Amino acid sequence: GIKTLTDFHNEDQIVDMMFHHNDAVDVVQIPAFLCRQTDLIRQAVSSDKIVNIKKGQFLAPWDVAGILSKTKGAKEVWITERGTSFGYNTLVVDFTGMQYMLDNYDCPIVMDCTHAVQKPGGNGNSSGGNREYVPTIAKAAAAIGVTNFFLETHAEPERAPSDGPNMVRLEEMEELIDTLVNITSAAGIYYE
């Protein structure tokens, strides 16, 4: 009874899911580095699943229009922001760009708060991160009207097989979610 979202990296994986595991997947996710791949996006749309496309760290907010132009006929499309890369193992979240997407695109905009604090390649052989900034990014996004959040959590992030440095500790998750609900409520934004 749990809804699932999973990455797909090529069209064949989506076709395999459609024919062999269709009931196991609720949301087809396109990874950030593949967000402009027309054939992959069109195959995702043909799955009749919700399609979540992670905006590439190399794209401007207005470039999302090109991505969305490939999603005609989709059941539902989400665009997930995770920041922009300017090198030096750091991602930067542009909240004016988030506002642009909220104002100009007729689809849910999701803030990926945990990958936004990731430091790609920051540990040399692996990615680092600054989990202490996840609440800051989440609260700022909520304050401008974002109501959809991607948050990774783990009981022991230091032992997580991947993305541990940017994961919210499980014991801190409930308070963070309550805070986000309170901010959106105070801003006059309500969840459906």
Side-chain angles (χ1 to χ4, degrees):
I2 295 173
K3 301 283 186 191
T4 59
L5 174 150
T6 189
D7 279 353
F8 289 87
H9 297 90
N10 62 55
E11 298 95 280
D12 291 341
Q13 291 175 340
I14 297 171
V15 170
D16 182 63
M17 177 273 301
M18 290 167 63
F19 286 103
H20 302 291
H21 311 285
N22 198 44
D23 292 339
V25 177
D26 298 292
V27 181
V28 171
Q29 179 165 280
I30 306 298
F33 283 114
L34 299 173
C35 71
R36 297 179 66 195
Q37 299 301 311
T38 301
D39 292 342
L40 180 60
I41 292 170
R42 289 189 176 146
Q43 188 67 57
V45 167
S46 78
S47 73
D48 200 34
K49 305 284 184 185
I50 296 169
V51 178
N52 181 39
I53 304 171
K54 294 190 108 176
K55 179 181 139 302
Q57 302 93 311
F58 46 87
L59 293 178
W62 39 90
D63 293 333
V64 171
I67 295 170
L68 291 174
S69 72
K70 301 171 186 183
T71 63
K72 191 173 192 171
K75 175 180 182 175
E76 183 176 344
V77 177
W78 305 341
I79 296 294
T80 297
E81 173 64 86
R82 61 182 291 168
T84 302
S85 178
F86 292 96
Y88 303 99
N89 309 111
T90 302
L91 296 171
V92 176
V93 177
D94 171 13
F95 287 99
T96 61
M98 289 287 296
Q99 190 66 58
Y100 178 91
M101 290 189 290
L102 288 167
D103 292 344
N104 289 283
Y105 303 129
D106 188 27
C107 67
I109 304 297
V110 180
M111 182 67 235
D112 181 346
C113 304
T114 45
H115 283 104
V117 300
Q118 188 179 53
K119 296 210 164 271
N123 289 342
N125 293 337
S126 64
S127 292
N130 291 333
R131 81 171 55 89
E132 62 270 18
Y133 297 129
V134 170
T136 301
I137 289 184
K139 291 185 282 188
I144 66 165
V146 172
T147 59
N148 303 284
F149 299 89
F150 183 107
L151 297 160
E152 288 189 299
T153 188
H154 196 282
E156 298 179 67
E158 296 78 15
R159 300 183 67 180
S162 93
D163 291 336
N166 42 288
M167 284 187 182
V168 176
R169 294 184 191 287
L170 184 58
E171 71 221 25
E172 298 169 0
M173 190 62 103
E174 184 176 356
E175 181 181 350
L176 177 56
I177 292 170
D178 287 345
T179 299
L180 297 178
V181 170
N182 289 336
I183 289 170
T184 55
S185 178
I189 303 157
Y190 301 96
Y191 296 97
E192 295 178 10

